[in-house]
Amino acid sequence: MPMMAHPTIFALSSGRPPAAIAVVRICGAQARVALKRLIGRVPAPRRATLVRLRDPENGEVIDEALALWFPAPRSETGEDMAELQLHGGHAVVAAVLKALGRVEGLRLAEPGEFTRRAFDNGRLDLTAVEGLADLIAAETPAQRRQAFRQLKGLTGDRAEAWRRQIIEALALVEARIDFSDEADVPEDLVRPALHDARQLREEIAAALANSGHGERLRDGLTVAIAGPPNAGKSTLLNRLARREAAIVSPIPGTTRDVIEVHFNLDGFPVTLLDTAGIRESDDPVEQEGVRRARQRAETADLVLWVIDVSATDIDAQIMTKSDLTSDVWELRNKVDLVVDKLCKSSESGITDSAGNLFAISAATGAGMDGLLSALSAYAQHYFAATEASIVTRARHRQAFEETIAALDRALAQGGSGSEELIAEELRAAATTLGRLTGRVDVEDILDVIFRDFCIGK
Ligand code: GDP
Protein backbone atom coordinates (compact mmCIF):
# COMPACT_ATOMS: atom_id res chain seq x y z
CA MET A 1 0.00 0.00 0.00
CA PRO A 2 1.58 3.32 -1.00
CA MET A 3 2.23 5.44 2.09
CA MET A 4 1.23 8.68 0.39
CA ALA A 5 -2.28 7.33 -0.05
CA HIS A 6 -2.80 7.84 3.69
CA PRO A 7 -3.32 11.14 5.35
CA THR A 8 -1.01 11.69 8.30
CA ILE A 9 -2.89 11.12 11.55
CA PHE A 10 -2.37 12.30 15.11
CA ALA A 11 -4.02 11.75 18.47
CA LEU A 12 -3.64 11.94 22.20
CA SER A 13 -2.64 8.34 22.96
CA SER A 14 -2.42 8.59 26.74
CA GLY A 15 -5.37 8.84 29.11
CA ARG A 16 -7.61 11.79 29.69
CA PRO A 17 -5.97 15.00 30.97
CA PRO A 18 -5.10 16.36 33.44
CA ALA A 19 -2.22 13.99 34.07
CA ALA A 20 1.50 14.27 34.75
CA ILE A 21 2.38 13.45 31.18
CA ALA A 22 0.40 13.30 27.94
CA VAL A 23 1.59 11.38 24.91
CA VAL A 24 0.65 12.63 21.45
CA ARG A 25 1.48 10.45 18.47
CA ILE A 26 1.76 11.40 14.82
CA CYS A 27 1.87 8.79 12.05
CA GLY A 28 2.38 9.16 8.32
CA ALA A 29 4.48 10.81 5.65
CA GLN A 30 3.86 14.35 6.98
CA ALA A 31 5.02 13.51 10.54
CA ARG A 32 8.45 14.89 9.66
CA VAL A 33 6.93 18.15 8.45
CA ALA A 34 4.84 18.40 11.61
CA LEU A 35 7.93 18.05 13.79
CA LYS A 36 9.77 20.72 11.85
CA ARG A 37 6.80 23.01 12.15
CA LEU A 38 6.38 22.56 15.92
CA ILE A 39 9.91 22.00 17.18
CA GLY A 40 12.01 23.32 14.33
CA ARG A 41 13.81 20.06 13.60
CA VAL A 42 13.63 16.28 13.38
CA PRO A 43 15.34 14.58 16.34
CA ALA A 44 17.79 11.71 15.90
CA PRO A 45 15.90 8.44 15.36
CA ARG A 46 14.75 6.60 18.48
CA ARG A 47 16.42 8.99 20.95
CA ALA A 48 14.48 10.94 23.50
CA THR A 49 15.22 14.61 22.83
CA LEU A 50 14.29 17.58 24.99
CA VAL A 51 12.58 20.18 22.80
CA ARG A 52 10.55 23.38 22.93
CA LEU A 53 7.20 23.11 21.27
CA ARG A 54 6.08 26.32 19.60
CA ASP A 55 2.83 27.44 18.11
CA PRO A 56 3.69 27.71 14.39
CA GLU A 57 1.26 30.67 14.00
CA ASN A 58 2.98 33.09 16.35
CA GLY A 59 6.09 31.32 17.62
CA GLU A 60 4.85 31.25 21.21
CA VAL A 61 6.33 28.43 23.33
CA ILE A 62 3.54 25.99 24.25
CA ASP A 63 5.54 23.54 26.32
CA GLU A 64 8.89 21.89 26.90
CA ALA A 65 8.60 18.24 25.92
CA LEU A 66 10.36 15.04 24.98
CA ALA A 67 10.23 14.24 21.29
CA LEU A 68 10.86 10.84 19.73
CA TRP A 69 11.29 10.11 16.07
CA PHE A 70 10.70 6.63 14.59
CA PRO A 71 11.35 6.70 10.85
CA ALA A 72 9.68 4.07 8.63
CA PRO A 73 9.79 1.15 8.48
CA ARG A 74 11.07 0.53 12.03
CA SER A 75 8.09 1.97 13.81
CA GLU A 76 5.02 0.51 15.42
CA THR A 77 2.87 1.19 12.38
CA GLY A 78 5.60 0.71 9.80
CA GLU A 79 5.25 4.37 8.73
CA ASP A 80 7.08 7.48 9.91
CA MET A 81 6.03 8.16 13.47
CA ALA A 82 6.67 10.88 16.01
CA GLU A 83 5.83 10.88 19.68
CA LEU A 84 5.61 13.94 21.89
CA GLN A 85 5.61 13.61 25.68
CA LEU A 86 4.02 16.77 27.02
CA HIS A 87 2.95 18.07 30.37
CA GLY A 88 -0.49 16.54 30.65
CA GLY A 89 -2.65 19.61 31.22
CA HIS A 90 -5.85 20.30 29.33
CA ALA A 91 -4.59 23.56 27.80
CA VAL A 92 -1.20 22.11 26.82
CA VAL A 93 -2.78 19.13 25.07
CA ALA A 94 -5.44 21.31 23.42
CA ALA A 95 -2.83 23.77 22.10
CA VAL A 96 -0.63 21.00 20.69
CA LEU A 97 -3.55 19.20 19.03
CA LYS A 98 -4.73 22.51 17.57
CA ALA A 99 -1.26 23.29 16.21
CA LEU A 100 -0.99 19.83 14.65
CA GLY A 101 -4.43 20.17 13.11
CA ARG A 102 -3.21 23.23 11.23
CA VAL A 103 -0.31 21.39 9.59
CA GLU A 104 -1.22 20.55 6.02
CA GLY A 105 -2.10 16.90 5.42
CA LEU A 106 -2.71 16.10 9.09
CA ARG A 107 -5.97 15.07 10.67
CA LEU A 108 -7.11 13.55 13.97
CA ALA A 109 -6.93 9.76 14.06
CA GLU A 110 -10.04 7.64 14.26
CA PRO A 111 -10.41 4.94 16.92
CA GLY A 112 -7.91 2.13 16.31
CA GLU A 113 -6.41 3.85 13.27
CA PHE A 114 -2.77 3.53 14.35
CA THR A 115 -3.26 -0.19 14.92
CA ARG A 116 -5.12 -0.50 11.64
CA ARG A 117 -2.06 0.91 9.88
CA ALA A 118 0.22 -1.50 11.73
CA PHE A 119 -2.01 -4.29 10.40
CA ASP A 120 -2.18 -2.91 6.85
CA ASN A 121 1.60 -2.57 6.79
CA GLY A 122 2.12 -6.13 8.02
CA ARG A 123 3.52 -5.14 11.44
CA LEU A 124 0.79 -7.02 13.32
CA ASP A 125 -1.35 -9.91 12.21
CA LEU A 126 -5.03 -10.01 13.06
CA THR A 127 -4.64 -12.23 16.12
CA ALA A 128 -1.99 -9.84 17.46
CA VAL A 129 -4.40 -6.94 16.91
CA GLU A 130 -6.95 -8.85 18.99
CA GLY A 131 -4.29 -9.53 21.62
CA LEU A 132 -3.52 -5.82 21.77
CA ALA A 133 -7.21 -4.97 22.27
CA ASP A 134 -7.39 -7.61 25.01
CA LEU A 135 -4.24 -6.31 26.68
CA ILE A 136 -5.75 -2.83 26.91
CA ALA A 137 -9.00 -4.29 28.28
CA ALA A 138 -7.32 -6.78 30.66
CA GLU A 139 -8.48 -6.44 34.26
CA THR A 140 -6.80 -9.40 35.91
CA PRO A 141 -3.24 -10.82 35.77
CA ALA A 142 -4.42 -13.98 34.01
CA GLN A 143 -6.14 -11.92 31.30
CA ARG A 144 -3.05 -9.76 30.95
CA ARG A 145 -0.74 -12.73 30.51
CA GLN A 146 -2.99 -14.34 27.90
CA ALA A 147 -3.39 -11.10 25.95
CA PHE A 148 0.34 -10.43 25.96
CA ARG A 149 1.14 -13.90 24.66
CA GLN A 150 -1.38 -13.43 21.88
CA LEU A 151 0.02 -10.02 20.99
CA LYS A 152 3.45 -11.63 20.74
CA GLY A 153 2.24 -14.25 18.26
CA LEU A 154 1.23 -17.32 20.25
CA THR A 155 -1.80 -17.83 18.01
CA GLY A 156 -0.69 -16.01 14.87
CA ASP A 157 2.77 -17.59 14.54
CA ARG A 158 1.42 -21.10 15.04
CA ALA A 159 -1.34 -20.50 12.50
CA GLU A 160 1.11 -19.05 9.99
CA ALA A 161 3.56 -21.95 10.40
CA TRP A 162 0.72 -24.42 9.83
CA ARG A 163 -0.48 -22.46 6.82
CA ARG A 164 2.98 -22.64 5.24
CA GLN A 165 3.21 -26.38 5.84
CA ILE A 166 -0.17 -26.89 4.22
CA ILE A 167 0.95 -24.82 1.24
CA GLU A 168 4.03 -27.02 0.89
CA ALA A 169 1.86 -30.13 0.86
CA LEU A 170 -0.43 -28.42 -1.64
CA ALA A 171 2.57 -27.65 -3.89
CA LEU A 172 3.38 -31.35 -4.06
CA VAL A 173 -0.14 -32.25 -5.13
CA GLU A 174 -0.27 -29.42 -7.64
CA ALA A 175 3.07 -30.47 -9.13
CA ARG A 176 1.63 -33.92 -9.59
CA ILE A 177 -1.44 -32.47 -11.33
CA ASP A 178 0.44 -30.00 -13.54
CA PHE A 179 3.28 -32.23 -14.64
CA SER A 180 1.70 -35.66 -14.55
CA ASP A 181 2.84 -36.34 -18.12
CA GLU A 182 6.43 -35.43 -17.58
CA ALA A 183 8.89 -38.17 -16.88
CA ASP A 184 11.02 -36.44 -14.25
CA VAL A 185 8.15 -35.76 -11.84
CA PRO A 186 7.98 -38.62 -9.35
CA GLU A 187 4.87 -40.74 -9.67
CA ASP A 188 3.82 -40.39 -6.14
CA LEU A 189 3.85 -36.88 -4.72
CA VAL A 190 0.39 -37.25 -3.26
CA ARG A 191 1.25 -39.81 -0.61
CA PRO A 192 3.94 -37.68 1.10
CA ALA A 193 1.59 -34.68 0.92
CA LEU A 194 -1.12 -36.64 2.68
CA HIS A 195 1.39 -37.89 5.23
CA ASP A 196 2.27 -34.29 6.10
CA ALA A 197 -1.39 -33.30 6.14
CA ARG A 198 -2.15 -36.07 8.61
CA GLN A 199 0.63 -34.97 10.94
CA LEU A 200 -0.56 -31.39 10.79
CA ARG A 201 -4.11 -32.42 11.45
CA GLU A 202 -3.00 -34.21 14.63
CA GLU A 203 -0.87 -31.27 15.71
CA ILE A 204 -3.67 -28.74 15.28
CA ALA A 205 -6.19 -31.00 17.01
CA ALA A 206 -3.81 -31.50 19.95
CA ALA A 207 -3.17 -27.77 20.32
CA LEU A 208 -6.89 -27.13 20.21
CA ALA A 209 -7.57 -29.81 22.82
CA ASN A 210 -4.95 -28.23 25.10
CA SER A 211 -6.37 -24.78 24.73
CA GLY A 212 -8.41 -24.87 27.90
CA HIS A 213 -10.75 -21.98 28.42
CA GLY A 214 -8.96 -19.14 26.69
CA GLU A 215 -12.21 -17.69 25.36
CA ARG A 216 -13.70 -17.68 28.84
CA LEU A 217 -10.66 -15.95 30.28
CA ARG A 218 -11.62 -12.86 28.29
CA ASP A 219 -15.15 -12.64 29.76
CA GLY A 220 -14.67 -14.39 33.06
CA LEU A 221 -15.82 -17.62 34.57
CA THR A 222 -19.60 -17.34 34.75
CA VAL A 223 -21.19 -18.20 38.07
CA ALA A 224 -24.96 -17.94 38.40
CA ILE A 225 -26.67 -17.44 41.73
CA ALA A 226 -30.03 -19.16 41.57
CA GLY A 227 -32.65 -20.63 43.83
CA PRO A 228 -36.18 -20.09 45.11
CA PRO A 229 -37.48 -16.61 46.02
CA ASN A 230 -36.35 -15.21 49.39
CA ALA A 231 -33.58 -17.78 49.78
CA GLY A 232 -31.11 -14.88 50.08
CA LYS A 233 -29.64 -14.63 46.59
CA SER A 234 -29.51 -10.83 46.43
CA THR A 235 -28.10 -10.66 49.93
CA LEU A 236 -25.35 -13.09 48.93
CA LEU A 237 -24.56 -11.17 45.76
CA ASN A 238 -24.32 -7.90 47.66
CA ARG A 239 -22.03 -9.43 50.22
CA LEU A 240 -19.73 -10.88 47.55
CA ALA A 241 -19.80 -7.64 45.57
CA ARG A 242 -18.96 -5.54 48.60
CA ARG A 243 -16.12 -7.78 49.66
CA GLU A 244 -14.56 -8.10 46.27
CA ALA A 245 -14.91 -4.47 45.18
CA ALA A 246 -16.90 -5.63 42.21
CA ILE A 247 -18.33 -3.74 39.30
CA VAL A 248 -22.10 -4.22 39.29
CA SER A 249 -23.81 -3.80 35.94
CA PRO A 250 -27.32 -4.71 34.89
CA ILE A 251 -27.44 -6.42 31.51
CA PRO A 252 -29.37 -3.98 29.33
CA GLY A 253 -32.74 -5.09 28.09
CA THR A 254 -35.96 -5.56 29.97
CA THR A 255 -36.61 -3.98 33.33
CA ARG A 256 -36.31 -7.22 35.24
CA ASP A 257 -33.00 -8.31 33.88
CA VAL A 258 -30.12 -10.34 35.14
CA ILE A 259 -27.65 -8.41 37.26
CA GLU A 260 -23.98 -9.03 36.46
CA VAL A 261 -21.15 -8.52 38.88
CA HIS A 262 -17.54 -8.75 37.72
CA PHE A 263 -14.74 -9.38 40.12
CA ASN A 264 -11.19 -10.49 40.27
CA LEU A 265 -10.89 -13.67 42.30
CA ASP A 266 -7.21 -14.28 43.07
CA GLY A 267 -6.27 -13.04 39.60
CA PHE A 268 -9.05 -14.77 37.69
CA PRO A 269 -12.00 -12.90 36.26
CA VAL A 270 -15.37 -14.05 37.57
CA THR A 271 -18.76 -12.88 36.40
CA LEU A 272 -21.53 -13.44 38.93
CA LEU A 273 -25.07 -13.48 37.63
CA ASP A 274 -27.95 -12.76 39.95
CA THR A 275 -30.93 -14.60 38.62
CA ALA A 276 -33.15 -13.35 41.44
CA GLY A 277 -36.08 -13.34 39.06
CA ILE A 278 -36.33 -17.08 38.51
CA ARG A 279 -39.95 -17.75 39.38
CA GLU A 280 -43.12 -18.27 37.45
CA SER A 281 -45.04 -15.12 36.58
CA ASP A 282 -47.99 -13.95 34.52
CA ASP A 283 -46.49 -10.57 33.77
CA PRO A 284 -45.05 -10.74 30.23
CA VAL A 285 -42.14 -8.43 31.06
CA GLU A 286 -41.28 -10.49 34.08
CA GLN A 287 -41.70 -13.68 32.06
CA GLU A 288 -39.08 -12.39 29.65
CA GLY A 289 -36.78 -11.58 32.57
CA VAL A 290 -37.30 -15.06 33.95
CA ARG A 291 -36.62 -16.61 30.57
CA ARG A 292 -33.34 -14.72 30.29
CA ALA A 293 -32.35 -15.51 33.83
CA ARG A 294 -32.95 -19.19 33.25
CA GLN A 295 -31.07 -19.11 29.97
CA ARG A 296 -28.07 -17.39 31.55
CA ALA A 297 -28.09 -19.82 34.46
CA GLU A 298 -28.14 -22.71 32.01
CA THR A 299 -25.04 -21.46 30.22
CA ALA A 300 -23.15 -20.60 33.40
CA ASP A 301 -20.08 -22.66 34.23
CA LEU A 302 -21.16 -23.00 37.82
CA VAL A 303 -24.49 -22.51 39.56
CA LEU A 304 -24.67 -21.54 43.23
CA TRP A 305 -28.07 -22.87 44.21
CA VAL A 306 -29.21 -21.03 47.32
CA ILE A 307 -31.79 -22.47 49.68
CA ASP A 308 -33.26 -21.15 52.92
CA VAL A 309 -32.53 -23.67 55.66
CA SER A 310 -34.84 -21.87 58.08
CA ALA A 311 -37.83 -22.59 55.87
CA THR A 312 -40.02 -25.57 56.48
CA ASP A 313 -39.89 -26.85 52.94
CA ILE A 314 -36.18 -27.51 52.50
CA ASP A 315 -36.72 -30.62 50.45
CA ALA A 316 -38.88 -28.75 47.97
CA GLN A 317 -36.18 -26.13 47.53
CA ILE A 318 -33.41 -28.53 46.64
CA MET A 319 -32.94 -28.34 42.94
CA THR A 320 -33.09 -31.20 40.54
CA LYS A 321 -29.61 -30.93 39.11
CA SER A 322 -30.56 -32.72 35.94
CA ASP A 323 -32.11 -29.41 34.83
CA LEU A 324 -28.68 -27.94 34.25
CA THR A 325 -25.55 -28.95 32.45
CA SER A 326 -23.38 -26.67 34.61
CA ASP A 327 -21.70 -27.71 37.86
CA VAL A 328 -23.97 -27.00 40.81
CA TRP A 329 -23.08 -26.16 44.39
CA GLU A 330 -25.74 -26.11 47.02
CA LEU A 331 -25.60 -23.18 49.42
CA ARG A 332 -27.61 -23.70 52.61
CA ASN A 333 -28.25 -20.12 53.59
CA LYS A 334 -29.52 -18.45 56.77
CA VAL A 335 -27.67 -20.84 59.05
CA ASP A 336 -27.67 -18.05 61.64
CA LEU A 337 -31.37 -18.79 62.15
CA VAL A 338 -30.95 -22.50 62.68
CA VAL A 339 -27.67 -22.96 64.49
CA ASP A 340 -28.98 -25.91 66.45
CA LYS A 341 -30.36 -27.60 63.39
CA LEU A 342 -27.10 -27.01 61.58
CA CYS A 343 -25.00 -28.52 64.36
CA LYS A 344 -27.03 -31.67 64.14
CA SER A 345 -26.79 -31.74 60.35
CA SER A 346 -23.07 -31.13 60.32
CA GLU A 347 -22.60 -34.23 62.45
CA SER A 348 -24.27 -36.10 59.66
CA GLY A 349 -22.03 -34.32 57.16
CA ILE A 350 -23.45 -31.05 55.88
CA THR A 351 -20.39 -30.37 53.71
CA ASP A 352 -20.31 -33.39 51.50
CA SER A 353 -17.15 -35.08 50.35
CA ALA A 354 -17.34 -33.58 46.85
CA GLY A 355 -17.18 -30.16 48.51
CA ASN A 356 -20.24 -28.89 46.71
CA LEU A 357 -22.45 -28.30 49.73
CA PHE A 358 -21.92 -25.19 51.85
CA ALA A 359 -23.52 -23.83 54.98
CA ILE A 360 -23.50 -20.04 54.97
CA SER A 361 -25.21 -16.97 56.25
CA ALA A 362 -25.35 -14.25 53.65
CA ALA A 363 -26.61 -11.91 56.36
CA THR A 364 -23.86 -12.43 58.95
CA GLY A 365 -21.08 -13.56 56.62
CA ALA A 366 -20.61 -16.93 58.30
CA GLY A 367 -19.14 -19.53 55.97
CA MET A 368 -18.16 -16.96 53.33
CA ASP A 369 -14.41 -17.55 53.62
CA GLY A 370 -14.86 -21.22 52.87
CA LEU A 371 -17.11 -20.45 49.92
CA LEU A 372 -14.69 -17.91 48.46
CA SER A 373 -11.65 -20.16 48.75
CA ALA A 374 -13.60 -22.99 47.12
CA LEU A 375 -14.58 -20.62 44.31
CA SER A 376 -10.99 -19.53 43.90
CA ALA A 377 -9.81 -23.15 43.68
CA TYR A 378 -12.55 -23.85 41.14
CA ALA A 379 -11.43 -20.89 38.99
CA GLN A 380 -7.80 -21.95 39.22
CA HIS A 381 -8.64 -25.46 38.13
CA TYR A 382 -10.94 -24.19 35.40
CA PHE A 383 -8.27 -21.96 33.86
CA ALA A 384 -5.36 -24.33 34.55
CA ALA A 385 -4.93 -25.52 30.97
CA THR A 386 -5.43 -22.05 29.56
CA GLU A 387 -1.82 -20.87 29.98
CA ALA A 388 -0.78 -21.64 26.43
CA SER A 389 -4.16 -21.36 24.77
CA ILE A 390 -3.99 -20.67 21.05
CA VAL A 391 -7.68 -19.84 21.22
CA THR A 392 -8.99 -16.69 22.87
CA ARG A 393 -12.05 -16.07 20.73
CA ALA A 394 -14.75 -18.18 19.12
CA ARG A 395 -13.35 -16.94 15.78
CA HIS A 396 -10.06 -18.75 16.46
CA ARG A 397 -11.66 -22.01 17.54
CA GLN A 398 -13.89 -21.98 14.47
CA ALA A 399 -10.92 -21.38 12.16
CA PHE A 400 -8.93 -24.26 13.62
CA GLU A 401 -11.94 -26.57 13.51
CA GLU A 402 -12.60 -25.67 9.87
CA THR A 403 -8.94 -26.31 9.06
CA ILE A 404 -9.11 -29.75 10.65
CA ALA A 405 -12.34 -30.51 8.77
CA ALA A 406 -10.76 -29.54 5.42
CA LEU A 407 -7.67 -31.64 6.16
CA ASP A 408 -9.95 -34.56 7.06
CA ARG A 409 -11.72 -34.25 3.73
CA ALA A 410 -8.38 -34.23 1.93
CA LEU A 411 -7.22 -37.27 3.90
CA ALA A 412 -10.47 -39.09 3.19
CA GLN A 413 -9.52 -39.12 -0.50
CA GLY A 414 -6.54 -41.32 0.31
CA GLY A 415 -3.42 -41.87 -1.79
CA SER A 416 -5.41 -43.08 -4.78
CA GLY A 417 -8.07 -40.38 -4.53
CA SER A 418 -8.74 -37.43 -6.79
CA GLU A 419 -5.72 -35.14 -6.85
CA GLU A 420 -7.92 -32.18 -7.73
CA LEU A 421 -10.15 -32.75 -4.72
CA ILE A 422 -7.17 -33.16 -2.39
CA ALA A 423 -5.67 -29.93 -3.72
CA GLU A 424 -8.97 -28.12 -3.28
CA GLU A 425 -9.30 -29.15 0.38
CA LEU A 426 -5.69 -28.28 1.18
CA ARG A 427 -6.25 -24.89 -0.42
CA ALA A 428 -9.38 -24.43 1.72
CA ALA A 429 -7.41 -25.33 4.86
CA ALA A 430 -4.67 -22.81 4.01
CA THR A 431 -7.22 -20.09 3.25
CA THR A 432 -8.98 -20.64 6.57
CA LEU A 433 -5.72 -20.15 8.45
CA GLY A 434 -4.93 -17.14 6.26
CA ARG A 435 -8.21 -15.56 7.27
CA LEU A 436 -7.42 -16.17 10.92
CA THR A 437 -4.23 -14.12 10.74
CA GLY A 438 -5.66 -11.66 8.22
CA ARG A 439 -3.38 -12.62 5.36
CA VAL A 440 -6.21 -13.22 2.97
CA ASP A 441 -9.57 -11.66 2.27
CA VAL A 442 -10.70 -10.34 5.65
CA GLU A 443 -12.36 -7.01 4.83
CA ASP A 444 -15.64 -8.34 6.23
CA ILE A 445 -14.31 -8.98 9.74
CA LEU A 446 -11.98 -6.00 10.13
CA ASP A 447 -14.69 -3.60 11.25
CA VAL A 448 -15.77 -5.98 14.00
CA ILE A 449 -12.23 -6.35 15.28
CA PHE A 450 -11.25 -2.67 15.17
CA ARG A 451 -14.58 -1.47 16.55
CA ASP A 452 -13.42 -1.99 20.15
CA PHE A 453 -10.37 0.24 19.93
CA CYS A 454 -10.07 3.68 21.44
CA ILE A 455 -8.74 6.82 19.77
CA GLY A 456 -4.95 7.09 19.87
CA LYS A 457 -4.37 3.33 19.73
P1 GDP B 1 -33.71 -13.50 47.13
O1 GDP B 1 -35.16 -13.37 46.80
O2 GDP B 1 -33.26 -14.93 47.01
O3 GDP B 1 -32.83 -12.56 46.39
O4 GDP B 1 -33.59 -13.20 48.70
P2 GDP B 1 -33.07 -11.85 49.43
O5 GDP B 1 -31.62 -11.73 49.34
O6 GDP B 1 -33.90 -10.73 48.98
O7 GDP B 1 -33.43 -12.27 50.93
C1 GDP B 1 -34.75 -12.52 51.39
C2 GDP B 1 -34.83 -12.19 52.85
O8 GDP B 1 -34.00 -13.07 53.62
C3 GDP B 1 -34.37 -10.79 53.18
O9 GDP B 1 -35.22 -10.27 54.19
C4 GDP B 1 -32.98 -10.99 53.74
O10 GDP B 1 -32.59 -9.98 54.65
C5 GDP B 1 -33.09 -12.33 54.42
N1 GDP B 1 -31.81 -13.05 54.45
C6 GDP B 1 -30.99 -13.32 53.40
N2 GDP B 1 -29.93 -14.05 53.83
C7 GDP B 1 -30.07 -14.24 55.17
C8 GDP B 1 -29.29 -14.90 56.19
O11 GDP B 1 -28.22 -15.48 55.95
N3 GDP B 1 -29.78 -14.86 57.44
C9 GDP B 1 -30.94 -14.24 57.78
N4 GDP B 1 -31.32 -14.26 59.03
N5 GDP B 1 -31.68 -13.61 56.85
C10 GDP B 1 -31.28 -13.60 55.56
Side-chain angles (χ1 to χ4, degrees):
M1 190 164 305
M3 305 247 166
M4 285 307 289
H6 291 305
T8 295
I9 53 173
F10 64 94
L12 173 66
S13 287
S14 55
R16 192 192 271 270
I21 294 169
V23 176
V24 169
R25 293 196 301 171
I26 310 158
C27 164
Q30 290 293 97
R32 177 188 291 275
V33 174
L35 284 178
K36 282 196 183 141
R37 206 60 73 75
L38 268 70
I39 65 177
R41 64 195 165 111
V42 178
R46 293 174 294 281
R47 284 189 183 264
T49 310
L50 188 65
V51 298
R52 289 220 154 165
L53 272 164
R54 289 175 192 276
D55 185 335
E57 299 276 290
N58 54 21
E60 186 198 349
V61 174
I62 301 172
D63 193 14
E64 198 163 58
L66 276 185
L68 287 142
W69 171 238
F70 304 99
R74 285 178 58 195
S75 75
E76 196 199 323
T77 59
E79 301 177 22
D80 279 350
M81 285 192 80
E83 189 175 307
L84 301 170
Q85 299 184 5
L86 321 166
H87 291 106
H90 282 289
V92 178
V93 172
V96 170
L97 294 182
K98 191 169 162 209
L100 286 171
R102 285 200 301 250
V103 179
E104 199 187 326
L106 263 64
R107 67 154 168 80
L108 264 176
E110 287 164 16
E113 203 172 3
F114 290 95
T115 310
R116 177 66 193 260
R117 287 195 181 182
F119 170 70
D120 286 342
N121 295 325
R123 303 288 289 181
L124 291 176
D125 79 25
L126 216 44
T127 64
V129 167
E130 290 168 324
L132 182 55
D134 289 349
L135 189 60
I136 292 170
E139 287 178 352
T140 73
Q143 287 175 321
R144 186 200 73 221
R145 280 193 286 271
Q146 169 164 299
F148 185 74
R149 276 191 295 264
Q150 203 188 325
L151 171 62
K152 291 289 141 194
L154 183 75
T155 307
D157 292 353
R158 294 291 292 278
E160 179 55 15
W162 287 331
R163 192 181 73 96
R164 282 170 198 267
Q165 283 170 272
I166 292 171
I167 288 171
E168 278 168 24
L170 175 62
L172 293 179
V173 181
E174 280 176 340
R176 176 73 200 139
I177 297 170
D178 291 348
F179 304 107
S180 50
D181 301 337
E182 293 180 24
D184 56 351
V185 173
E187 265 300 291
D188 203 356
L189 291 171
V190 176
R191 232 169 269 276
L194 287 178
H195 173 79
D196 293 350
R198 183 174 305 282
Q199 271 192 339
L200 265 174
R201 188 241 177 260
E202 296 311 322
E203 201 180 316
I204 299 172
L208 203 53
N210 285 331
S211 273
H213 298 98
E215 296 132 288
R216 265 288 200 249
L217 192 51
R218 292 184 65 231
D219 310 329
L221 177 77
T222 315
V223 179
I225 300 179
N230 290 318
K233 299 181 294 295
S234 309
T235 312
L236 174 66
L237 185 87
N238 285 334
R239 177 166 285 281
L240 287 169
R242 222 177 19 250
R243 260 185 70 146
E244 301 300 324
I247 307 156
V248 182
S249 57
I251 299 177
T254 68
T255 46
R256 290 180 181 80
D257 248 324
V258 186
I259 301 290
E260 273 196 10
V261 175
H262 299 275
F263 65 86
N264 174 347
L265 190 67
D266 293 336
F268 296 103
V270 173
T271 300
L272 266 184
L273 306 174
D274 178 19
T275 61
I278 298 196
R279 59 176 168 262
E280 300 312 321
S281 165
D282 295 331
D283 173 356
V285 178
E286 185 155 341
Q287 274 173 359
E288 174 58 16
V290 169
R291 193 189 63 77
R292 287 183 187 210
R294 205 183 287 278
Q295 201 178 27
R296 288 286 285 173
E298 277 164 9
T299 58
D301 304 300
L302 173 66
V303 173
L304 302 180
W305 186 262
V306 185
I307 63 171
D308 176 353
V309 283
S310 73
T312 46
D313 61 339
I314 296 188
D315 288 346
Q317 296 183 54
I318 293 174
M319 86 174 309
T320 39
K321 295 182 187 176
S322 57
D323 287 2
L324 295 168
T325 50
S326 336
D327 288 336
V328 181
W329 291 357
E330 196 172 294
L331 269 46
R332 305 205 158 179
N333 190 32
K334 308 197 192 180
V335 290
D336 55 303
L337 297 179
V338 290
V339 176
D340 293 347
K341 199 163 153 191
L342 173 73
C343 288
K344 284 194 205 95
S345 324
S346 68
E347 278 157 20
S348 59
I350 191 148
T351 303
D352 74 8
S353 54
N356 57 10
L357 184 55
F358 296 83
I360 61 163
S361 167
T364 69
M368 293 301 292
D369 286 341
L371 177 61
L372 275 170
S373 63
L375 272 176
S376 171
Y378 184 87
Q380 240 166 59
H381 182 246
Y382 187 89
F383 288 121
T386 304
E387 282 290 302
S389 180
I390 55 165
V391 171
T392 62
R393 296 175 191 232
R395 188 179 88 80
H396 306 164
R397 185 172 295 281
Q398 198 183 339
F400 290 125
E401 282 169 355
E402 278 173 22
T403 306
I404 291 172
L407 290 175
D408 279 342
R409 287 192 299 270
L411 290 167
Q413 288 291 320
S416 51
S418 152
E419 287 150 7
E420 273 82 7
L421 282 180
I422 293 171
E424 191 180 310
E425 296 300 352
L426 291 178
R427 219 172 284 123
T431 304
T432 304
L433 290 176
R435 275 179 62 83
L436 175 65
T437 56
R439 271 176 196 278
V440 291
D441 170 37
V442 286
E443 277 306 314
D444 50 331
I445 53 176
L446 287 184
D447 286 345
V448 179
I449 289 171
F450 282 95
R451 195 177 49 197
D452 298 339
F453 276 86
C454 45
I455 291 178
K457 191 63 232 172

